[in-house]
Amino acid sequence: VATVTVATATGAKTASASWLLHFPDREPLTVTFSPPSTHAEVLDAYPAALVAAEPIESGRRHHDTPLAGDQEAAVLAWLSEIGETDETTIADVLTLCRQDEEARRYFLGRAVEISANDDRRCCSQCGNLRSGVCVVARPGGRVSAIVGYRPASPDVLQRCAGYSSTASRN
Ligand code: SF4
């Protein structure tokens, strides 16, 4: 079940594009509104279950700080794990992570929670992926593929006999 919500609200006044929502029965949720929305509009969008909503202050935002490769892979892996497939939502989450420290901490925290119970990894997390090439791939090898094999979906979680958290010497 996807837990990421990118909501759309209407209203003449604008307040904040990002809100942290608190619920009585589940973890806080970071939500992006387009266009930016007032507190009343946020409460209207989440009527019954919401106990509090706080704007993610513009002061906590910064201009596009790139996510490290493994951080982006972790967030993408988490979104995949929870079944989030909407490209706009995925792009919004990554943008939020780049621009907002609180959102980055939240989403990376969720990614760590899931990865702790999941032994699957992405090629993009593997030390054997260099410049898009799996350097241990060879016919009949741990990764049986042509030499110079380029994984087509490096951000997809999988179990691979050749995976290494560090670069391989062979
Ligand atoms: S060893 Fe496996 S996980 Fe690592 S890059 Fe090659 S195919 Fe991907």
Side-chain angles (χ1 to χ4, degrees):
V1 176
T3 56
V4 178
T5 303
V6 177
T8 299
T10 57
K13 288 185 175 180
T14 60
S16 177
S18 297
W19 290 80
L20 186 61
L21 309 184
H22 298 273
F23 300 89
D25 55 352
R26 57 184 166 121
E27 295 180 29
L29 182 68
T30 300
V31 181
T32 300
F33 284 84
S34 178
S37 300
T38 64
H39 187 263
E41 289 167 339
V42 172
L43 294 183
D44 280 349
Y46 288 84
L50 185 62
V51 295
E54 54 179 311
I56 296 176
E57 299 154 18
S58 58
R60 290 209 303 241
R61 286 179 169 257
H62 45 80
H63 293 292
D64 277 1
T65 301
L67 287 166
D70 58 343
Q71 291 180 328
E72 182 159 328
V75 172
L76 287 171
W78 172 69
L79 289 166
S80 170
E81 180 68 20
I82 66 172
E84 183 56 74
T85 57
D86 182 77
E87 290 184 9
T88 302
T89 299
I90 292 170
D92 283 347
V93 168
L94 292 178
T95 298
L96 199 56
C97 287
R98 292 188 195 103
Q99 296 181 340
D100 189 286
E101 293 170 9
E102 179 75 20
R104 180 183 300 215
R105 268 197 300 274
Y106 171 77
F107 287 117
L108 286 174
R110 298 303 304 267
V112 167
E113 282 173 20
I114 282 186
S115 67
N117 299 317
D118 189 348
D119 62 352
R120 294 175 303 163
R121 296 291 181 268
C122 306
C123 290
S124 56
Q125 297 173 301
C126 177
N128 291 327
L129 189 73
R130 294 178 215 162
S131 301
V133 172
C134 174
V135 297
V136 296
R138 56 185 49 85
R142 279 179 291 163
V143 176
S144 185
I146 60 169
V147 173
Y149 165 62
R150 290 177 170 271
S153 303
D155 294 319
V156 172
L157 287 168
Q158 60 176 335
R159 293 183 181 86
C160 174
Y163 175 82
S164 174
S165 58
T166 57
S168 172
R169 291 176 181 275
N170 57 12

